[in-house]
């Protein structure tokens, strides 16, 4: 029998307008195409390439405990100054592992795509996932794609789960924080939240503020060398520095005192916060960490952090104190004191 | 950037604080000053400025939070409007959480009423223009600062022939309320820190009755920490020197005569009227009502929004808080039954409310 070849390519829209269809999430031919075309070539590694129901990986030798985490990303817009939802999905989950003291190993990538998303946008996001994963040294070993009808999701939601290995004997816990411990912040606050907000609100600030999205595991691993002198670390994401510090000392016998003048902040971020009526302490970060360190090792910790690009602007911003247990107090620029509280309600929805 | 930093400067604040203490010392008795405006209240707490005042100097908060002074039966009327078929109630954000006698607009929305939050009255007008089949009622709550934009929107609605837009008014004016407060010997107010953005509209001269009739000083001040400290310094200096004048510390925005254009728009649509202040009562000529010629845009006359006489929560002491006679922590519900997450009274709802500012920035537990 003679095969007749139809010129199918002519029926396709130009590449720049190609869009994700409901069928791409159907589990059928289009789904397989999408995986073959977009996922496998980008993320190729033995565990992923097997395309089994589960990725099967070896546990590295040398002992330790596994850290496992998961996070979903719904940021709006998906592209913003300094990054996109793909960078966030990798760095956010890597950082969750890193803050638990883990060296990140593997990621999974789940995608919920709204029908009609441009292929070019999806590819741009996947390129970011790839770039961020490579630079963090983690492998994407499993994934899933669902497509929902227009209007049932907003462009693209991602979920990443991460697995990492915590060296034997390491613990970071807020219970370890004691009076006198130094509070060290790895850099400026509020950049991510303001970058996303300004893009969303179409605000033309004089200087463009860029998201600080970055992986922190190398800096965190360097701090682990302090052993027990490193009491606790956490990345101040949603709810900002305020939420992280409040959670660190809530219900504990000590509180935290920080100084407004020593908290690093970009002037553009401060101006934007004044304009939007936001407290920069409440604005999200995606590439910053806070470390509580025994006072006698604070200088060493600070120097270690400053040795990394992502910790260049690190500063001691305060200390744990016995007065006002469980509370965070700010010494204001004007010279007074005030309480720093959790933000009331969701001030900035869909920031990450 | 430079501008903002300058106005946060710690060393300058310290120097001002010392001058304030020196001047207050010369007065030789305890001094009670009132910041009339909610924006000042928030700034004072947020920057911890009370720590910079000497022990004998007390800066109490006044009634300058528009949401706080709106009576509960107004909220009930708004809820009634929202539950009428085909009616959409549009408002600024804080209002939706203010308790009426039984419930809030948030509760009404949860049970199906169409209640929307906007950032400006023009958004409400756009909503009306976009959905001609619905009646859009905007909650006109606010002081001299917001009143012009609401009045301007009403003028605009008429010009564009938008027939389904109306306003439920609860407009307030500050000066006669200051008169009522300073006339009350129990409150013992020695001077006012005046709201600069109100003054930007009505002009700083509108406060001149306070020195003239009551021999007390007034200073119009901005909202940065140093602005406020300069303002307080101005007040204590006048008191120490036995002077009583209106001082305009905020001359970069406030002109003595205010903003005549804004006042003209207000005058076209609204006329001065007595107003009820939550917790304080009726104060003569302390508000505005919609003029007869604009009754077609007056929601209170367009719909039957009458409600039963109000029942205030007996435990809530907002009335005293708004008059400056009770510090919020003195209310037995403060931080216990009443928090920003679960507010009992309006002073805990509004971000500008004195109870909310105290709880957020200065609570002691
Ligand atoms: S704390 Fe709550 S109940 Fe007490 S006066 Fe303030 S708002 Fe009213």
């Amino acid at each position: 029998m003679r095969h007749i070849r139809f010129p199918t390519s002519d029926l396709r829209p130009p590449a720049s307008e190609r869009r994700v269809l409901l069928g791409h999430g159907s589990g059928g031919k289009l789904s397989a195409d999408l995986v073959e075309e977009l996922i496998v070539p980008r993320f190729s590694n033995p565990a992923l390439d097997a395309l089994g129901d589960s990725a099967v990986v070896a546990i590295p030798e040398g002992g330790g405990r596994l850290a496992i985490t998961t996070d979903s990303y719904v940021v709006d817009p998906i592209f913003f100054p300094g990054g996109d939802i793909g960078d966030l999905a990798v760095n956010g989950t890597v950082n969750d592992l890193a803050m638990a003291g883990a060296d990140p190993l593997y990621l999974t990538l789940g995608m919920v795509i709204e029908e009609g998303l441009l292929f070019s946008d999806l590819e741009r996001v996947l390129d970011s996932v790839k770039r961020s994963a490579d630079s963090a040294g983690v492998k994407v070993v499993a994934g899933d794609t669902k497509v929902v009808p227009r209007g049932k999701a907003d462009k693209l939601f991602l979920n990443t789960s991460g697995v990492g290995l915590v060296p034997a004997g390491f613990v970071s816990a807020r219970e370890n924080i004691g009076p006198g411990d130094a509070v060290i912040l790895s850099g400026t606050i509020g950049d991510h939240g303001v970058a996303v907000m300004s893009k969303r609100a179409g605000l033309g600030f004089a200087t463009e503020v860029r998201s600080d999205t970055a992986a922190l595991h190398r800096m965190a691993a360097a701090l682990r060398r302090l052993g027990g002198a490193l009491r606790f670390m956490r990345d101040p994401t949603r709810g900002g520095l305020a939420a992280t510090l409040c959670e660190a000392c809530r219900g504990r016998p000590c509180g935290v005192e920080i100084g407004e003048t020593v908290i690093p902040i970009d002037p553009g971020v401060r101006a934007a916060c004044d304009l939007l009526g936001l407290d920069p302490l409440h604005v999200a970060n995606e590439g910053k960490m806070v470390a509580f360190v025994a006072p006698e090792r604070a200088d060493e910790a600070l120097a270690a952090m400053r040795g990394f690009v992502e910790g260049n602007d690190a500063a001691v911003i305060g200390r744990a104190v016995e007065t006002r247990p469980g509370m965070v107090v700010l010494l204001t620029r004007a010279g007074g004191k005030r309480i720093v509280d959790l933000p009331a309600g969701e001030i900035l929805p869909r920031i990450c | 950037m430079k501008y903002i930093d300058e106005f946060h400067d710690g060393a300058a604040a310290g120097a001002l604080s010392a001058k304030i203490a020196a001047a207050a010392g010369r007065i030789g008795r305890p001094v009670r000053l009132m910041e009339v405006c909610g924006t000042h209240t928030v700034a004072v707490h947020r920057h911890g400025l009370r720590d910079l005042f000497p022990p004998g100097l007390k800066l109490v908060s006044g009634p300058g939070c528009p949401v706080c002074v709106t009576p509960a039966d107004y909220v009930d009327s708004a809820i009634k409007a929202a539950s009428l078929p085909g009616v959409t109630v549009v408002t600024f954000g804080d209002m939706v959480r203010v308790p009426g006698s039984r419930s809030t607009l948030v509760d009404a929305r949860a049970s199906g009423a169409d209640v929307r939050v906007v950032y400006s009255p023009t958004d409400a007008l756009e909503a009306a223009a976009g959905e001609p089949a619905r009646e859009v009622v905007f909650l006109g709550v606010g002081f001299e600062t917001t009143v012009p934009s609401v009045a301007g929107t009403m003028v605009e609605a008429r010009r564009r022939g938008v027939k389904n837009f109306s306003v439920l008014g609860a407009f307030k004016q500050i000066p006669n309320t200051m008169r009522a407060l300073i006339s009350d010997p129990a409150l013992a107010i020695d001077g006012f820190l005046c709201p600069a953005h109100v003054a930007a509209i009505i002009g700083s001269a509108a406060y001149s009755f306070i020195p003239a009739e009551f021999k007390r000083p007034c200073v119009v001040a901005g909202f940065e920490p140093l602005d406020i400290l300069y303002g307080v310094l101005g007040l204590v200096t006048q008191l120490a020197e036995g002077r009583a004048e209106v001082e305009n510390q905020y001359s970069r925005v406030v002109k003595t005569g205010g903003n005549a254009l804004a006042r003209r728009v207000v005058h076209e649509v609204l006329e001065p009227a007595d107003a009820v202040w939550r917790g304080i009562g009726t104060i003569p000529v302390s508000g505005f009502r919609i003029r007869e010629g604009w009754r077609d845009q007056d929601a209170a006359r367009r719909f039957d929004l009458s409600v039963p006489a109000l029942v205030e929560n007996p435990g809530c002491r907002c009335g005293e808080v708004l008059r400056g006679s009770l510090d919020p922590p003195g209310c037995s519900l403060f931080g216990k039954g009443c928090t920003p997450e679960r507010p009992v009274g309006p002073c805990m709802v509004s971000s500008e409310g004195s109870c909310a500012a105290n709880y957020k920035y200065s609570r002691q537990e």
Side-chain angles (χ1 to χ4, degrees):
Chain A
M1 196 171 83
R2 204 167 147 230
H3 289 274
I4 301 169
R5 292 183 66 102
F6 291 100
T8 48
S9 60
D10 290 353
L11 300 175
R12 291 196 185 175
S16 62
E17 282 169 31
R18 215 175 137 207
R19 289 175 186 278
V20 176
L21 308 174
L22 274 176
H24 283 116
S26 66
K29 171 85 173 71
L30 279 177
S31 298
D33 285 354
L34 188 125
V35 171
E36 291 292 340
E37 183 185 336
L38 299 187
I39 308 292
V40 175
R42 269 192 185 73
F43 301 107
S44 179
N45 60 64
L48 178 73
D49 297 350
L51 293 179
D53 283 334
S54 295
V56 179
V57 295
I59 299 174
E61 319 242 313
R65 290 154 303 148
L66 285 182
I68 304 174
T69 186
T70 190
D71 214 338
S72 298
Y73 299 85
V74 298
V75 64
D76 168 37
I78 60 176
F79 301 104
F80 44 82
D84 62 43
I85 190 171
D87 301 300
L88 278 194
V90 172
N91 294 336
T93 296
V94 162
N95 291 346
D96 285 348
L97 293 172
M99 294 304 112
D103 291 315
L105 300 172
Y106 304 114
L107 287 186
T108 66
L109 176 67
M111 304 192 278
V112 176
I113 307 175
E114 185 192 17
E115 170 190 22
L117 179 74
L118 283 172
F119 255 71
S120 54
D121 283 348
L122 181 59
E123 291 189 57
R124 195 171 146 199
V125 169
L126 290 172
D127 285 340
S128 299
V129 171
K130 165 74 174 158
R131 188 173 5 88
S132 301
D134 282 353
S135 105
V138 286
K139 292 195 169 63
V140 177
V141 292
D144 176 54
T145 307
K146 297 282 189 306
V147 182
V148 297
R150 221 175 244 282
K152 302 292 177 188
D154 189 6
K155 294 188 189 67
L156 179 63
F157 297 157
L158 297 183
N159 172 278
T160 50
S161 294
V163 177
L165 195 68
V166 187
F170 179 82
V171 223
S172 146
R174 63 192 203 98
E175 286 73 21
N176 298 344
I177 300 170
D181 286 351
V183 182
I184 310 180
L185 173 67
S186 66
T188 55
I189 58 166
D191 302 74
H192 176 73
V194 165
V196 172
M197 278 304 286
S198 58
K199 181 78 195 283
R200 203 187 296 167
L203 298 174
F205 296 122
T207 49
E208 187 189 62
V209 173
R210 299 170 64 80
S211 167
D212 58 348
T213 177
L216 302 168
H217 60 296
R218 291 186 193 91
M219 187 157 59
L223 288 177
R224 282 200 316 246
R225 283 189 223 115
L226 296 169
L230 172 62
R231 316 289 200 206
F232 178 63
M233 20 179 204
R234 183 53 74 77
D235 54 336
T237 54
R238 260 185 312 177
L241 181 63
T244 294
L245 295 178
C246 288
E247 276 155 25
C249 62
R250 184 169 47 205
R252 302 293 307 156
C254 60
V256 171
E257 207 166 81
I258 52 174
E260 192 170 20
T261 50
V262 288
I263 298 172
I265 180 166
D266 176 273
V269 169
R270 186 142 97 206
C273 286
D274 277 357
L275 194 71
L276 297 167
L278 298 173
D279 184 342
L281 293 172
H282 287 160
V283 179
N285 310 281
E286 288 293 339
K288 296 293 153 37
M289 64 178 288
V290 175
F292 285 78
V293 176
E296 65 279 6
R297 307 285 295 275
D299 288 343
E300 192 185 331
L302 189 63
M305 287 165 92
R306 287 188 174 156
F308 295 87
V309 202
E310 54 274 21
N312 261 344
D313 299 326
V316 176
I317 59 162
R319 62 205 163 92
V321 291
E322 271 168 314
T323 47
R324 313 297 303 270
M327 303 202 90
V328 180
V329 171
L330 179 79
L331 305 174
T332 70
R333 207 169 282 277
K337 286 188 182 184
R338 67 130 153 132
I339 292 172
V340 175
D341 229 339
L342 289 169
E346 192 67 272
I347 49 163
L348 300 172
R350 295 188 55 196
I351 207 74
C352 62
Chain B
M1 265 21 94
K2 174 102 185 4
Y3 183 78
I4 297 169
D5 275 327
E6 218 167 83
F7 280 82
H8 281 288
D9 187 329
L16 281 171
S17 163
K19 284 187 184 163
I20 291 170
R26 275 184 281 137
I27 301 169
R29 59 171 175 86
V31 178
R32 267 168 75 85
L33 306 175
M34 175 178 274
E35 94 264 354
V36 187
C37 169
T39 314
H40 275 151
T41 303
V42 172
V44 165
H45 286 278
R46 181 167 170 187
H47 298 291
L49 299 185
R50 293 202 298 193
D51 296 342
L52 302 184
F53 301 143
L57 171 66
K58 199 157 165 56
L59 182 61
V60 299
S61 303
C65 151
V67 164
C68 304
V69 297
T70 303
D73 54 359
Y74 175 87
V75 176
D76 291 345
S77 291
I79 292 172
K80 187 168 179 189
S83 39
L84 296 174
V87 173
T88 296
V89 166
V90 179
T91 177
F92 296 134
D94 281 351
M95 266 318 280
V96 296
R97 295 172 56 228
V98 177
S101 56
R102 272 177 307 276
S103 60
T104 65
L105 283 161
V106 168
D107 299 327
R109 181 165 62 192
S111 35
D114 188 3
V115 177
R116 301 182 204 168
V117 171
V118 291
Y119 295 98
S120 108
T122 26
D123 296 341
L125 178 58
E126 291 314 324
E131 292 171 78
R134 291 194 72 81
E135 280 288 342
V136 171
V137 175
F138 180 71
L139 302 186
V141 169
F143 292 134
E144 285 91 340
T145 42
T146 23
V147 173
S149 67
V150 181
T153 306
M154 292 172 74
V155 172
E156 181 65 8
R158 177 168 287 183
R159 192 189 63 77
R160 286 171 52 182
V162 179
K163 299 266 185 260
N164 57 329
F165 175 80
S166 59
V167 172
L168 184 60
F171 305 110
K172 300 285 191 289
Q173 316 190 44
I174 285 284
N176 273 343
T177 308
M178 292 167 68
R179 184 193 301 272
L181 293 171
I182 204 158
S183 312
D184 184 345
L187 300 180
I189 298 167
D190 290 307
F192 284 117
L193 191 68
C194 296
H197 49 11
V198 169
I201 306 283
I202 64 177
S204 53
Y207 300 121
S208 56
F209 70 92
I210 290 178
E213 292 174 36
F214 300 95
K215 309 277 174 289
R216 313 270 165 81
C218 276
V219 176
V220 177
F223 303 104
E224 293 295 333
L226 293 192
D227 290 335
I228 295 172
L229 294 173
Y230 270 118
V232 169
L233 177 60
L235 287 169
V236 287
T237 307
Q238 287 199 39
L239 287 167
E241 294 171 359
R243 287 187 292 128
E245 295 158 16
V246 177
E247 240 171 69
N248 185 359
Q249 183 271 326
Y250 204 54
S251 49
R252 62 185 191 275
V253 175
V254 179
K255 301 282 166 277
T256 320
N259 180 338
L261 183 67
R263 288 204 307 272
R264 201 167 324 123
V265 176
V266 171
H267 181 78
E268 183 181 345
V269 181
L270 306 174
E271 60 193 348
D274 298 353
V276 184
W277 294 62
R278 190 170 198 158
I280 299 179
T282 303
I283 299 175
V285 206
S286 66
F288 296 98
R289 67 166 164 255
I290 297 173
R291 286 186 189 274
E292 195 54 37
W294 292 78
R295 59 177 302 148
D296 58 317
Q297 284 192 43
D298 186 349
R301 287 191 265 191
R302 200 145 139 172
F303 308 99
D304 173 18
L305 300 181
S306 55
V307 290
L310 76 154
V311 195
E312 297 272 7
N313 184 316
C316 172
R317 298 177 68 184
C318 274
E320 290 156 83
V321 169
L322 291 165
R323 283 198 305 272
S325 64
L326 177 76
D327 243 2
C331 168
S332 60
L333 296 178
F334 179 84
K336 301 184 183 81
C338 182
T339 59
E341 290 74 42
R342 312 192 63 204
V344 173
C347 301
M348 193 60 98
V349 173
S350 169
S351 53
E352 296 205 328
S354 182
C355 295
N358 261 274
Y359 185 83
K360 232 172 120 186
Y361 297 125
S362 313
R363 68 180 186 273
Q364 288 305 318
E365 111 289 4

